[in-house]
Amino acid sequence: MADVILQKANICLNRLNTATENVNNELSKLEESMERSCEIANNTFYELLKIVENRKQDLLSTMKKYQVEKKSSLLEQLATIKREKLSVDQQCQGLDNEVEVRNIYKKICLINEKINNMPVFGEPRENGFITYEYDHNRAFDELQTALGTFGKVRTSTTFPSLCTAQVEDISVHLEGQTLVTAVDFKGNPQSVGGDPLIVEIFHENGEIVKATVVDNNNGTYTIKYRTEKPGVYKLHITIFGRPIKDSPFRFEALQDINPVVSFGTTGCEDNQFLQPCAVAIGPAGQVFVLDTGNSRIKVLGSDLEFIHHIVGVGLEECGGTGIAITHANSMLVINWKTKYITEMTFDGEFISQSTHPDFVEPMGIVVNSQGEILVLDNNLNCVFILDESRNLLQRIELTGFSNSKSQAVKFVAVGPQDEILVGESSVLVFASSGEFLKEIYPEGRNGGHFGGLVSDREGNLLVCRSEKNKHYIQIFNFVSGHLSFCINSPKTKLKRPAGLAILKNNELVVVDLGNDCIRKYRYK
């Protein structure tokens, strides 16, 4: 028992020795930080004094410049006066011996002329006024105020080993965030920021992941990072060079991206769909889903909560296949059976209806930044471009630009610069003028077809892709045409995705035709 006591005592003493060493190290760091802070303070005030001295020299130099200019002008005037005096003296010389009246009269005229010019010489051409002012504006008061707030002494009572971090598994390519909460020795949350928080993230193969720390100025810190490879990562977080509680953390970057929220099942109730095939986003974030099988539009909030239904003209015969938002804050619905474009308010009130005699199977509709309406006719394999009054501007034929022989339904969208995008088994890209630009192929060219596409402001092209029994969303770089990554969640499998739209907060809304539902994903 004595040996056990001695062993425990040794362990206790070793830990106390370690604690003593740690405290002494912190004392050394305190001295070092004090010296470093004083040095920085001296340097900054030295720079401030240099600024003040430079300003003083500028003002003195300006006053000296004005003095030299004024003095030069006055000295020049004195020299001129001296020359005039000499001239007058010369005119008076020899008058005692002068007998010629004509010469005397001539000298009198010259002297009279000089007398008449005396006002020019009698007043100084320059003045001796130079003064220095410092109360002509509020600069002096502002300078006093600025000096009163110049510099700041900051310290912290944060106790790293009690600080916590919320670390969760993330999906590759998506931005991950970790929230760090700072507390003091007693566990009380800090209310201000400024702690020197250092973050290091390593992949299991040793690769470093770049991380950004955002000081929320309320005692919490947000760490942002993005992983490009699936696998296990370690996250090291230190404050004052000391690890926080449970650091290093372990998290996994998963290849799969699960939806943030899903809404809908098969049926005709408020929370059900029957063959939803298109979606559009209103200016206030409303999500309008074309519930084709139920001949209605389901209106949802930005979190996919049900609001109400729109029924009536333009949605009859289960023929609505395309929906778009106009610049006039209204909706357009294309009906492939009636061949009509119907305009309505966001509440479903009828505004107008029109068609074109050449329409055969109009399936898709979209509005570009100029307010022009693009209608894709699946049977004619062409895109009609109409103005806001529904007058035909141009017709773009799609035949001959692709090697595909597929008869699948095509989808139309617009690019970042109003390019015309048509998706089927590849994406055809046309300029807004109708000129063919390029063809973007799916990754691997393994057949299949696209089931909806949309582009965002950052140059990403998002497409729904179906390949045999596989369904997923691909994100391409629009300029290069290279695939960035895929969204494919095994937990909530997509089945015939048929429509895409992007919310203002860069969340992706996907209509799942096969599962009769709509899902929202983070893709950035």
Side-chain angles (χ1 to χ4, degrees), residues 154-171:
R154 181 170 52 81
T155 186
S156 173
T157 58
T158 296
F159 195 68
S161 60
L162 292 182
C163 298
T164 58
Q166 300 173 3
V167 182
E168 298 176 351
D169 292 343
I170 62 172
S171 298

Side-chain angles (χ1 to χ4, degrees), residues 500-519:
L500 298 175
I502 298 174
L503 291 164
K504 290 183 179 179
N505 57 359
N506 285 329
E507 289 180 319
L508 176 67
V509 176
V510 182
V511 171
D512 192 337
L513 177 62
N515 288 313
D516 286 320
C517 69
I518 183 170
R519 295 191 171 106

Side-chain angles (χ1 to χ4, degrees), residues 437-448:
L437 298 178
K438 61 183 176 180
E439 184 175 10
I440 299 176
Y441 292 97
E443 184 73 4
R445 305 190 188 185
N446 294 321

Side-chain angles (χ1 to χ4, degrees), residues 479-500:
V479 176
S480 67
H482 295 154
L483 179 68
S484 299
F485 64 97
C486 294
I487 295 177
N488 179 24
S489 172
K491 295 181 181 179
T492 52
K493 288 186 177 180
L494 290 167
K495 186 178 180 182
R496 294 174 62 199
L500 298 175

Side-chain angles (χ1 to χ4, degrees), residues 24-34 36 240-242:
N24 285 328
N25 288 337
E26 204 63 33
L27 284 170
S28 299
K29 290 180 180 179
L30 177 61
E31 295 299 323
E32 292 173 1
S33 63
M34 179 60 183
R36 184 169 60 252
F240 314 131
R242 291 146 57 185

Side-chain angles (χ1 to χ4, degrees), residues 125-162:
R125 297 174 185 173
E126 260 294 354
N127 57 68
F129 178 77
I130 294 178
T131 186
Y132 171 72
E133 296 179 351
Y134 62 89
D135 56 355
H136 59 292
N137 55 27
R138 293 186 52 82
F140 189 80
D141 294 336
E142 291 173 357
L143 185 60
Q144 282 187 314
T145 302
L147 285 174
T149 59
F150 180 77
K152 178 181 178 182
V153 178
R154 181 170 52 81
T155 186
S156 173
T157 58
T158 296
F159 195 68
S161 60
L162 292 182

